[in-house]
Amino acid sequence: MGHNRAMSASPDATAAADWRRPLRYLWRFPFLALHVLVGLPITLLLINPLCARIRFRGEPLDQFVIRVWSGGLVRVFGFRVRRFGTPLPGAALFVANHVSWIDICLMHSQRMMGFVAKAEIASWPLLGWIVSRGSTIYHHRGSNDSLHGVMHQMVLRLQSGQAVGVFPEGRTTRGDAISVFHARIFQPAVVANVPAQPVALKYGAGGNAQTIVAFGAKESFFANFLRLLGEPSRVAEVHFLEPVAPSEDGRRRVADTCRERIIAAMSL
């Protein structure tokens, strides 16, 4: 990911030098408030069993409203989303590089899926509410019992025709490299015999803002949330890459192939 070497300045230093930041807060805060105070209650109201049975534009209504709300939130933060490729329909394991909390909203804006996420996200303001209602599977880090439960839920969802999203690096990164993918998270796709589709998330032109969007050193969710809200408008690219079929060589082969395809997409 040599295209990110130019991003040597820290996010905090970049933010401090940007005199337009207060102006962006001035006009984005009202849109954020409107999106949360009006859009979120409507979205939560429509996430129910009845709406799940109503088809709208080719998908269940509850999934459609989650995608619309997520896309709106991404837009409030100044991102112009561009999608490349097509997400698989039906049961699939979507695997993406992990940069920041906004990755979940960016993915949800394109394809509804139940994410596997750390349990702490449930307590995050704003994002936690919508993610919890969006069929998220929570994992308590360091707990083998929790991990076994997560794997079991993933298999059941995939076997029932649903999509699951994971960040196989296991945590957010600095954005300037793709960490090793944990192979165990791919086991449910092998067991359920469904494909894994790698997804490359790129922020900024050619991915030149990866390190800006990423969490800074010891930066909290709230601090990152506020900093990104004041960032300049930029593109956010979602690349749905060639799917990887369940391999006879097992989960390690699937994990490595997905990682290789994401790295290749990030270098373009």
Side-chain angles (χ1 to χ4, degrees):
M1 294 185 59
H3 62 285
N4 284 325
R5 291 175 182 171
M7 302 305 305
S8 57
S10 69
D12 292 339
T14 302
D18 186 1
W19 62 269
R20 297 183 182 88
R21 178 170 293 269
L23 299 179
R24 296 189 198 104
Y25 284 133
L26 189 63
W27 71 269
R28 284 182 184 168
F29 265 124
F31 283 108
L32 178 61
L34 183 66
H35 196 63
V36 173
L37 298 179
V38 178
L40 184 58
I42 294 175
T43 300
L44 296 178
L45 184 65
L46 292 175
I47 303 176
N48 60 65
L50 176 60
C51 289
R53 292 195 293 267
I54 300 174
R55 305 291 295 186
F56 185 77
R57 294 189 178 181
E59 64 183 317
L61 180 59
D62 61 339
Q63 296 185 11
F64 174 79
V65 297
I66 288 177
R67 287 201 308 104
V68 170
W69 190 88
S70 298
L73 183 65
V74 171
R75 192 68 187 89
V76 167
F77 278 75
F79 290 102
R80 304 182 303 279
V81 181
R82 294 179 184 170
R83 189 178 86 183
F84 300 84
T86 304
L88 289 174
L93 181 69
F94 292 92
V95 298
N97 54 304
H98 202 8
V99 181
S100 185
W101 61 269
I102 205 166
D103 298 341
I104 296 176
C105 295
L106 183 57
M107 293 275 282
H108 263 164
S109 73
Q110 302 302 309
R111 171 70 155 86
M112 180 58 196
M113 61 192 75
F115 276 96
V116 175
K118 60 182 182 180
E120 299 94 296
I121 289 180
S123 62
W124 286 0
L126 183 61
L127 183 64
W129 301 335
I130 192 69
V131 167
S132 294
R133 297 293 294 273
S135 303
T136 298
I137 303 172
Y138 287 115
H139 169 51
H140 295 269
R141 287 181 177 175
S143 170
N144 285 330
D145 289 340
S146 174
L147 181 59
H148 290 315
V150 166
M151 303 289 275
H152 180 65
Q153 290 186 61
M154 289 176 65
V155 171
L156 291 179
R157 292 194 185 184
L158 292 172
Q159 289 178 335
S160 67
Q162 300 179 59
V164 176
V166 297
F167 299 109
E169 292 167 286
R171 62 188 64 204
T172 55
T173 67
R174 296 182 305 176
D176 57 356
I178 305 295
S179 300
V180 174
F181 281 7
H182 295 288
R184 179 180 287 187
I185 201 67
F186 290 83
Q187 183 65 21
V190 175
V191 172
N193 195 34
V194 301
Q197 184 168 28
V199 184
L201 304 180
K202 302 171 71 171
Y203 296 98
N208 65 1
Q210 298 293 104
T211 56
I212 293 177
V213 175
F215 284 94
K218 298 182 179 180
E219 187 178 43
S220 67
F221 162 75
F222 188 68
N224 184 269
F225 184 95
L226 286 179
R227 182 169 61 77
L228 292 187
L229 188 61
E231 282 292 313
S233 295
R234 51 175 55 98
V235 67
E237 298 180 0
V238 187
H239 295 255
F240 288 95
L241 307 174
E242 181 183 354
V244 181
S247 172
E248 293 181 359
D249 298 332
R251 62 195 190 189
R252 181 73 265 169
R253 179 63 178 272
V254 178
D256 289 344
T257 303
C258 286
R259 181 172 182 268
E260 290 168 3
R261 290 180 182 176
I262 290 176
I263 290 176
M266 296 299 295
S267 65
L268 297 177

Short mmCIF file of all heavy atoms in Angstrom, two decimals, residues 146-203:
data_model
loop_
_atom_site.label_atom_id
_atom_site.label_comp_id
_atom_site.label_asym_id
_atom_site.label_seq_id
_atom_site.Cartn_x
_atom_site.Cartn_y
_atom_site.Cartn_z
N SER A 146 -17.57 -17.02 23.79
CA SER A 146 -18.18 -16.03 22.91
C SER A 146 -17.83 -16.32 21.46
O SER A 146 -18.68 -16.24 20.57
CB SER A 146 -17.71 -14.63 23.29
OG SER A 146 -18.19 -13.66 22.36
N LEU A 147 -16.58 -16.70 21.22
CA LEU A 147 -16.14 -16.98 19.85
C LEU A 147 -16.88 -18.18 19.27
O LEU A 147 -17.33 -18.15 18.12
CB LEU A 147 -14.63 -17.24 19.83
CG LEU A 147 -14.02 -17.53 18.46
CD1 LEU A 147 -14.27 -16.37 17.50
CD2 LEU A 147 -12.53 -17.80 18.59
N HIS A 148 -17.05 -19.21 20.06
CA HIS A 148 -17.78 -20.38 19.58
C HIS A 148 -19.23 -20.01 19.26
O HIS A 148 -19.80 -20.48 18.27
CB HIS A 148 -17.74 -21.49 20.64
CG HIS A 148 -16.40 -22.13 20.80
ND1 HIS A 148 -15.61 -22.49 19.73
CD2 HIS A 148 -15.69 -22.47 21.91
CE1 HIS A 148 -14.48 -23.02 20.17
NE2 HIS A 148 -14.50 -23.00 21.49
N GLY A 149 -19.82 -19.17 20.09
CA GLY A 149 -21.19 -18.71 19.84
C GLY A 149 -21.30 -17.91 18.57
O GLY A 149 -22.26 -18.05 17.80
N VAL A 150 -20.31 -17.03 18.34
CA VAL A 150 -20.28 -16.21 17.12
C VAL A 150 -20.19 -17.09 15.88
O VAL A 150 -20.92 -16.90 14.90
CB VAL A 150 -19.10 -15.23 17.16
CG1 VAL A 150 -18.85 -14.61 15.78
CG2 VAL A 150 -19.35 -14.13 18.18
N MET A 151 -19.28 -18.09 15.92
CA MET A 151 -19.11 -18.97 14.77
C MET A 151 -20.39 -19.75 14.49
O MET A 151 -20.79 -19.93 13.32
CB MET A 151 -17.95 -19.94 15.05
CG MET A 151 -16.64 -19.26 15.37
SD MET A 151 -15.87 -18.46 13.96
CE MET A 151 -14.99 -19.81 13.25
N HIS A 152 -21.06 -20.19 15.55
CA HIS A 152 -22.31 -20.93 15.39
C HIS A 152 -23.39 -20.06 14.75
O HIS A 152 -24.09 -20.49 13.82
CB HIS A 152 -22.78 -21.45 16.75
CG HIS A 152 -24.05 -22.23 16.69
ND1 HIS A 152 -24.16 -23.44 16.02
CD2 HIS A 152 -25.29 -21.97 17.21
CE1 HIS A 152 -25.40 -23.89 16.13
NE2 HIS A 152 -26.10 -23.03 16.84
N GLN A 153 -23.52 -18.81 15.23
CA GLN A 153 -24.50 -17.89 14.65
C GLN A 153 -24.20 -17.59 13.20
O GLN A 153 -25.12 -17.48 12.37
CB GLN A 153 -24.54 -16.59 15.45
CG GLN A 153 -25.15 -16.71 16.84
CD GLN A 153 -25.29 -15.35 17.49
OE1 GLN A 153 -25.98 -14.47 17.00
NE2 GLN A 153 -24.60 -15.16 18.60
N MET A 154 -22.92 -17.44 12.87
CA MET A 154 -22.54 -17.16 11.48
C MET A 154 -22.97 -18.31 10.57
O MET A 154 -23.52 -18.08 9.48
CB MET A 154 -21.03 -16.93 11.38
CG MET A 154 -20.55 -15.63 11.99
SD MET A 154 -18.74 -15.47 11.93
CE MET A 154 -18.47 -15.41 10.13
N VAL A 155 -22.71 -19.53 10.99
CA VAL A 155 -23.07 -20.69 10.18
C VAL A 155 -24.58 -20.74 9.97
O VAL A 155 -25.07 -20.95 8.84
CB VAL A 155 -22.58 -22.00 10.84
CG1 VAL A 155 -23.16 -23.21 10.10
CG2 VAL A 155 -21.07 -22.06 10.83
N LEU A 156 -25.35 -20.52 11.04
CA LEU A 156 -26.80 -20.56 10.94
C LEU A 156 -27.32 -19.51 9.97
O LEU A 156 -28.22 -19.78 9.16
CB LEU A 156 -27.44 -20.37 12.31
CG LEU A 156 -27.25 -21.52 13.32
CD1 LEU A 156 -27.91 -21.17 14.64
CD2 LEU A 156 -27.82 -22.82 12.77
N ARG A 157 -26.78 -18.30 10.04
CA ARG A 157 -27.24 -17.23 9.15
C ARG A 157 -26.88 -17.51 7.70
O ARG A 157 -27.69 -17.30 6.80
CB ARG A 157 -26.66 -15.89 9.60
CG ARG A 157 -27.21 -15.43 10.93
CD ARG A 157 -26.91 -13.99 11.20
NE ARG A 157 -27.34 -13.59 12.53
CZ ARG A 157 -27.27 -12.36 12.99
NH1 ARG A 157 -26.77 -11.40 12.23
NH2 ARG A 157 -27.68 -12.08 14.22
N LEU A 158 -25.68 -17.99 7.48
CA LEU A 158 -25.27 -18.29 6.12
C LEU A 158 -26.10 -19.43 5.54
O LEU A 158 -26.51 -19.40 4.38
CB LEU A 158 -23.78 -18.65 6.08
CG LEU A 158 -22.81 -17.50 6.39
CD1 LEU A 158 -21.38 -18.01 6.53
CD2 LEU A 158 -22.87 -16.41 5.32
N GLN A 159 -26.36 -20.44 6.35
CA GLN A 159 -27.17 -21.57 5.89
C GLN A 159 -28.62 -21.16 5.62
O GLN A 159 -29.30 -21.82 4.83
CB GLN A 159 -27.12 -22.70 6.91
CG GLN A 159 -25.77 -23.41 6.98
CD GLN A 159 -25.72 -24.50 8.03
OE1 GLN A 159 -26.47 -24.46 9.02
NE2 GLN A 159 -24.84 -25.46 7.86
N SER A 160 -29.08 -20.09 6.28
CA SER A 160 -30.46 -19.63 6.06
C SER A 160 -30.56 -18.64 4.92
O SER A 160 -31.62 -18.07 4.67
CB SER A 160 -31.01 -19.01 7.35
OG SER A 160 -30.32 -17.80 7.66
N GLY A 161 -29.44 -18.39 4.23
CA GLY A 161 -29.47 -17.52 3.06
C GLY A 161 -29.14 -16.07 3.33
O GLY A 161 -29.29 -15.22 2.45
N GLN A 162 -28.68 -15.74 4.55
CA GLN A 162 -28.37 -14.35 4.89
C GLN A 162 -26.89 -14.04 4.63
O GLN A 162 -26.06 -14.94 4.48
CB GLN A 162 -28.71 -14.10 6.36
CG GLN A 162 -30.16 -14.32 6.72
CD GLN A 162 -30.42 -14.06 8.19
OE1 GLN A 162 -30.19 -12.97 8.70
NE2 GLN A 162 -30.91 -15.09 8.88
N ALA A 163 -26.58 -12.77 4.60
CA ALA A 163 -25.21 -12.32 4.41
C ALA A 163 -24.59 -11.91 5.74
O ALA A 163 -25.27 -11.36 6.62
CB ALA A 163 -25.16 -11.13 3.45
N VAL A 164 -23.31 -12.17 5.89
CA VAL A 164 -22.56 -11.81 7.09
C VAL A 164 -21.34 -11.01 6.67
O VAL A 164 -20.68 -11.34 5.68
CB VAL A 164 -22.13 -13.05 7.89
CG1 VAL A 164 -21.27 -12.66 9.09
CG2 VAL A 164 -23.36 -13.86 8.36
N GLY A 165 -21.03 -9.95 7.41
CA GLY A 165 -19.86 -9.13 7.12
C GLY A 165 -18.84 -9.22 8.23
O GLY A 165 -19.20 -9.20 9.41
N VAL A 166 -17.56 -9.34 7.87
CA VAL A 166 -16.50 -9.43 8.87
C VAL A 166 -15.31 -8.57 8.46
O VAL A 166 -15.11 -8.27 7.27
CB VAL A 166 -16.02 -10.89 9.07
CG1 VAL A 166 -17.16 -11.77 9.60
CG2 VAL A 166 -15.45 -11.47 7.79
N PHE A 167 -14.54 -8.20 9.45
CA PHE A 167 -13.26 -7.52 9.24
C PHE A 167 -12.19 -8.48 9.74
O PHE A 167 -11.86 -8.49 10.94
CB PHE A 167 -13.21 -6.20 10.00
CG PHE A 167 -14.27 -5.21 9.57
CD1 PHE A 167 -15.35 -4.91 10.39
CD2 PHE A 167 -14.20 -4.59 8.33
CE1 PHE A 167 -16.32 -4.02 10.01
CE2 PHE A 167 -15.18 -3.70 7.92
CZ PHE A 167 -16.23 -3.40 8.76
N PRO A 168 -11.65 -9.32 8.87
CA PRO A 168 -10.77 -10.41 9.30
C PRO A 168 -9.42 -9.99 9.87
O PRO A 168 -8.68 -10.84 10.38
CB PRO A 168 -10.59 -11.24 8.03
CG PRO A 168 -10.89 -10.32 6.91
CD PRO A 168 -11.91 -9.36 7.42
N GLU A 169 -9.09 -8.69 9.82
CA GLU A 169 -7.87 -8.24 10.50
C GLU A 169 -8.08 -8.25 12.01
O GLU A 169 -7.11 -8.23 12.77
CB GLU A 169 -7.51 -6.82 10.04
CG GLU A 169 -7.07 -6.75 8.60
CD GLU A 169 -7.01 -5.33 8.08
OE1 GLU A 169 -8.08 -4.73 7.83
OE2 GLU A 169 -5.89 -4.80 7.92
N GLY A 170 -9.35 -8.27 12.44
CA GLY A 170 -9.64 -8.39 13.86
C GLY A 170 -9.74 -7.08 14.60
O GLY A 170 -10.25 -7.03 15.72
N ARG A 171 -9.28 -6.00 13.99
CA ARG A 171 -9.34 -4.68 14.62
C ARG A 171 -9.04 -3.62 13.56
O ARG A 171 -8.57 -3.95 12.46
CB ARG A 171 -8.32 -4.56 15.75
CG ARG A 171 -6.86 -4.71 15.32
CD ARG A 171 -5.97 -4.77 16.54
NE ARG A 171 -6.27 -5.96 17.33
CZ ARG A 171 -6.00 -6.04 18.64
NH1 ARG A 171 -5.46 -5.02 19.28
NH2 ARG A 171 -6.28 -7.16 19.29
N THR A 172 -9.31 -2.37 13.90
CA THR A 172 -8.98 -1.29 12.97
C THR A 172 -7.46 -1.15 12.87
O THR A 172 -6.73 -1.50 13.81
CB THR A 172 -9.58 0.05 13.43
OG1 THR A 172 -9.15 0.33 14.77
CG2 THR A 172 -11.10 0.02 13.38
N THR A 173 -7.00 -0.65 11.74
CA THR A 173 -5.58 -0.46 11.54
C THR A 173 -5.27 1.02 11.36
O THR A 173 -6.17 1.86 11.39
CB THR A 173 -5.11 -1.22 10.28
OG1 THR A 173 -5.70 -0.62 9.12
CG2 THR A 173 -5.53 -2.69 10.35
N ARG A 174 -4.01 1.33 11.13
CA ARG A 174 -3.60 2.71 10.86
C ARG A 174 -3.99 3.14 9.45
O ARG A 174 -3.86 4.30 9.09
CB ARG A 174 -2.10 2.87 11.05
CG ARG A 174 -1.61 2.63 12.46
CD ARG A 174 -0.12 2.86 12.56
NE ARG A 174 0.60 2.04 11.58
CZ ARG A 174 1.92 2.09 11.39
NH1 ARG A 174 2.64 2.93 12.09
NH2 ARG A 174 2.49 1.31 10.50
N GLY A 175 -4.43 2.18 8.65
CA GLY A 175 -4.89 2.48 7.30
C GLY A 175 -3.82 2.39 6.24
O GLY A 175 -4.14 2.43 5.04
N ASP A 176 -2.55 2.24 6.62
CA ASP A 176 -1.48 2.26 5.63
C ASP A 176 -1.01 0.86 5.23
O ASP A 176 -0.05 0.71 4.50
CB ASP A 176 -0.29 3.08 6.15
CG ASP A 176 0.24 2.56 7.49
OD1 ASP A 176 -0.36 1.62 8.05
OD2 ASP A 176 1.24 3.12 7.98
N ALA A 177 -1.66 -0.17 5.74
CA ALA A 177 -1.30 -1.54 5.40
C ALA A 177 -2.46 -2.47 5.72
O ALA A 177 -3.33 -2.13 6.53
CB ALA A 177 -0.04 -1.97 6.15
N ILE A 178 -2.48 -3.63 5.10
CA ILE A 178 -3.49 -4.65 5.37
C ILE A 178 -2.85 -5.71 6.26
O ILE A 178 -1.88 -6.36 5.85
CB ILE A 178 -4.02 -5.30 4.08
CG1 ILE A 178 -4.54 -4.24 3.11
CG2 ILE A 178 -5.11 -6.32 4.41
CD1 ILE A 178 -5.74 -3.48 3.61
N SER A 179 -3.36 -5.88 7.45
CA SER A 179 -2.80 -6.86 8.38
C SER A 179 -3.18 -8.28 7.95
O SER A 179 -4.00 -8.49 7.05
CB SER A 179 -3.32 -6.61 9.80
OG SER A 179 -2.95 -5.32 10.25
N VAL A 180 -2.58 -9.24 8.61
CA VAL A 180 -2.88 -10.65 8.34
C VAL A 180 -4.35 -10.94 8.65
O VAL A 180 -4.89 -10.44 9.64
CB VAL A 180 -1.97 -11.57 9.18
CG1 VAL A 180 -2.38 -13.03 9.01
CG2 VAL A 180 -0.52 -11.38 8.77
N PHE A 181 -5.01 -11.71 7.80
CA PHE A 181 -6.40 -12.09 8.03
C PHE A 181 -6.45 -13.32 8.93
O PHE A 181 -5.76 -14.31 8.67
CB PHE A 181 -7.10 -12.40 6.71
CG PHE A 181 -7.52 -11.19 5.93
CD1 PHE A 181 -7.17 -9.91 6.33
CD2 PHE A 181 -8.30 -11.32 4.78
CE1 PHE A 181 -7.57 -8.79 5.61
CE2 PHE A 181 -8.71 -10.21 4.05
CZ PHE A 181 -8.34 -8.95 4.47
N HIS A 182 -7.27 -13.27 9.96
CA HIS A 182 -7.45 -14.42 10.84
C HIS A 182 -8.28 -15.45 10.10
O HIS A 182 -9.43 -15.21 9.73
CB HIS A 182 -8.13 -14.00 12.14
CG HIS A 182 -7.31 -13.06 12.96
ND1 HIS A 182 -6.18 -13.47 13.65
CD2 HIS A 182 -7.44 -11.73 13.22
CE1 HIS A 182 -5.65 -12.44 14.29
NE2 HIS A 182 -6.39 -11.37 14.04
N ALA A 183 -7.73 -16.64 9.93
CA ALA A 183 -8.39 -17.66 9.12
C ALA A 183 -9.63 -18.24 9.79
O ALA A 183 -10.58 -18.66 9.10
CB ALA A 183 -7.40 -18.79 8.80
N ARG A 184 -9.66 -18.23 11.11
CA ARG A 184 -10.77 -18.88 11.80
C ARG A 184 -12.12 -18.26 11.44
O ARG A 184 -13.13 -18.95 11.37
CB ARG A 184 -10.56 -18.80 13.32
CG ARG A 184 -11.70 -19.42 14.11
CD ARG A 184 -11.47 -19.34 15.61
NE ARG A 184 -10.45 -20.27 16.03
CZ ARG A 184 -10.15 -20.50 17.33
NH1 ARG A 184 -10.78 -19.84 18.27
NH2 ARG A 184 -9.23 -21.39 17.65
N ILE A 185 -12.14 -16.94 11.18
CA ILE A 185 -13.39 -16.26 10.90
C ILE A 185 -13.99 -16.72 9.56
O ILE A 185 -15.16 -16.48 9.28
CB ILE A 185 -13.19 -14.72 10.90
CG1 ILE A 185 -14.53 -14.00 11.13
CG2 ILE A 185 -12.52 -14.25 9.62
CD1 ILE A 185 -15.10 -14.20 12.48
N PHE A 186 -13.18 -17.40 8.73
CA PHE A 186 -13.66 -17.89 7.44
C PHE A 186 -14.26 -19.29 7.54
O PHE A 186 -14.86 -19.78 6.59
CB PHE A 186 -12.51 -17.91 6.42
CG PHE A 186 -12.06 -16.55 5.99
CD1 PHE A 186 -11.15 -15.82 6.76
CD2 PHE A 186 -12.54 -15.97 4.83
CE1 PHE A 186 -10.74 -14.57 6.37
CE2 PHE A 186 -12.12 -14.71 4.43
CZ PHE A 186 -11.22 -14.00 5.21
N GLN A 187 -14.09 -19.94 8.69
CA GLN A 187 -14.58 -21.31 8.85
C GLN A 187 -16.09 -21.44 8.60
O GLN A 187 -16.52 -22.40 7.95
CB GLN A 187 -14.23 -21.83 10.24
CG GLN A 187 -14.61 -23.28 10.49
CD GLN A 187 -13.84 -24.25 9.61
OE1 GLN A 187 -12.76 -23.93 9.10
NE2 GLN A 187 -14.38 -25.44 9.44
N PRO A 188 -16.93 -20.50 9.09
CA PRO A 188 -18.36 -20.63 8.83
C PRO A 188 -18.71 -20.67 7.34
O PRO A 188 -19.63 -21.38 6.94
CB PRO A 188 -18.95 -19.39 9.51
CG PRO A 188 -18.00 -19.10 10.62
CD PRO A 188 -16.65 -19.41 10.04
N ALA A 189 -17.97 -19.92 6.52
CA ALA A 189 -18.24 -19.94 5.08
C ALA A 189 -17.89 -21.30 4.49
O ALA A 189 -18.59 -21.81 3.60
CB ALA A 189 -17.43 -18.85 4.38
N VAL A 190 -16.81 -21.92 4.98
CA VAL A 190 -16.42 -23.25 4.51
C VAL A 190 -17.46 -24.28 4.94
O VAL A 190 -17.88 -25.13 4.15
CB VAL A 190 -15.02 -23.62 5.06
CG1 VAL A 190 -14.66 -25.05 4.67
CG2 VAL A 190 -13.97 -22.65 4.53
N VAL A 191 -17.91 -24.19 6.20
CA VAL A 191 -18.90 -25.13 6.72
C VAL A 191 -20.22 -24.99 5.99
O VAL A 191 -20.87 -25.99 5.63
CB VAL A 191 -19.10 -24.92 8.24
CG1 VAL A 191 -20.27 -25.76 8.75
CG2 VAL A 191 -17.83 -25.25 9.01
N ALA A 192 -20.65 -23.74 5.77
CA ALA A 192 -21.94 -23.49 5.10
C ALA A 192 -21.84 -23.60 3.58
O ALA A 192 -22.86 -23.52 2.89
CB ALA A 192 -22.46 -22.10 5.48
N ASN A 193 -20.62 -23.76 3.08
CA ASN A 193 -20.37 -23.89 1.64
C ASN A 193 -20.89 -22.69 0.86
O ASN A 193 -21.59 -22.83 -0.15
CB ASN A 193 -21.00 -25.18 1.10
CG ASN A 193 -20.48 -25.54 -0.28
OD1 ASN A 193 -19.32 -25.30 -0.60
ND2 ASN A 193 -21.35 -26.11 -1.12
N VAL A 194 -20.54 -21.48 1.33
CA VAL A 194 -20.93 -20.26 0.64
C VAL A 194 -19.66 -19.48 0.29
O VAL A 194 -18.62 -19.62 0.94
CB VAL A 194 -21.86 -19.37 1.51
CG1 VAL A 194 -23.12 -20.13 1.89
CG2 VAL A 194 -21.14 -18.87 2.74
N PRO A 195 -19.71 -18.64 -0.74
CA PRO A 195 -18.52 -17.89 -1.15
C PRO A 195 -18.20 -16.74 -0.20
O PRO A 195 -19.08 -16.23 0.51
CB PRO A 195 -18.91 -17.36 -2.53
CG PRO A 195 -20.40 -17.25 -2.48
CD PRO A 195 -20.86 -18.40 -1.64
N ALA A 196 -16.95 -16.35 -0.21
CA ALA A 196 -16.51 -15.15 0.51
C ALA A 196 -16.19 -14.09 -0.54
O ALA A 196 -15.47 -14.37 -1.51
CB ALA A 196 -15.27 -15.46 1.36
N GLN A 197 -16.73 -12.89 -0.37
CA GLN A 197 -16.45 -11.82 -1.32
C GLN A 197 -15.60 -10.75 -0.65
O GLN A 197 -16.03 -10.08 0.29
CB GLN A 197 -17.73 -11.19 -1.85
CG GLN A 197 -17.44 -10.13 -2.93
CD GLN A 197 -18.69 -9.70 -3.69
OE1 GLN A 197 -19.78 -9.74 -3.17
NE2 GLN A 197 -18.51 -9.28 -4.95
N PRO A 198 -14.36 -10.58 -1.11
CA PRO A 198 -13.51 -9.53 -0.56
C PRO A 198 -14.00 -8.15 -0.99
O PRO A 198 -14.49 -7.97 -2.11
CB PRO A 198 -12.13 -9.83 -1.14
CG PRO A 198 -12.39 -10.64 -2.37
CD PRO A 198 -13.67 -11.38 -2.14
N VAL A 199 -13.90 -7.18 -0.07
CA VAL A 199 -14.34 -5.82 -0.33
C VAL A 199 -13.22 -4.87 0.08
O VAL A 199 -12.77 -4.88 1.24
CB VAL A 199 -15.62 -5.47 0.45
CG1 VAL A 199 -16.11 -4.07 0.08
CG2 VAL A 199 -16.71 -6.51 0.21
N ALA A 200 -12.77 -4.05 -0.84
CA ALA A 200 -11.72 -3.06 -0.55
C ALA A 200 -12.37 -1.70 -0.28
O ALA A 200 -13.11 -1.19 -1.12
CB ALA A 200 -10.74 -2.95 -1.72
N LEU A 201 -12.09 -1.13 0.88
CA LEU A 201 -12.62 0.17 1.26
C LEU A 201 -11.50 1.20 1.14
O LEU A 201 -10.48 1.11 1.83
CB LEU A 201 -13.15 0.14 2.70
CG LEU A 201 -14.21 -0.93 3.00
CD1 LEU A 201 -14.64 -0.85 4.46
CD2 LEU A 201 -15.41 -0.78 2.07
N LYS A 202 -11.72 2.19 0.29
CA LYS A 202 -10.69 3.21 0.03
C LYS A 202 -11.26 4.60 0.27
O LYS A 202 -12.30 4.95 -0.29
CB LYS A 202 -10.19 3.10 -1.42
CG LYS A 202 -9.62 1.73 -1.76
CD LYS A 202 -9.34 1.57 -3.24
CE LYS A 202 -8.16 2.39 -3.70
NZ LYS A 202 -7.77 2.05 -5.10
N TYR A 203 -10.58 5.37 1.09
CA TYR A 203 -11.02 6.72 1.42
C TYR A 203 -10.09 7.74 0.78
O TYR A 203 -8.87 7.63 0.89
CB TYR A 203 -11.03 6.92 2.94
CG TYR A 203 -12.02 6.02 3.64
CD1 TYR A 203 -11.60 4.82 4.23
CD2 TYR A 203 -13.37 6.36 3.73
CE1 TYR A 203 -12.51 3.99 4.87
CE2 TYR A 203 -14.28 5.54 4.37
CZ TYR A 203 -13.85 4.35 4.93
OH TYR A 203 -14.75 3.53 5.57
#
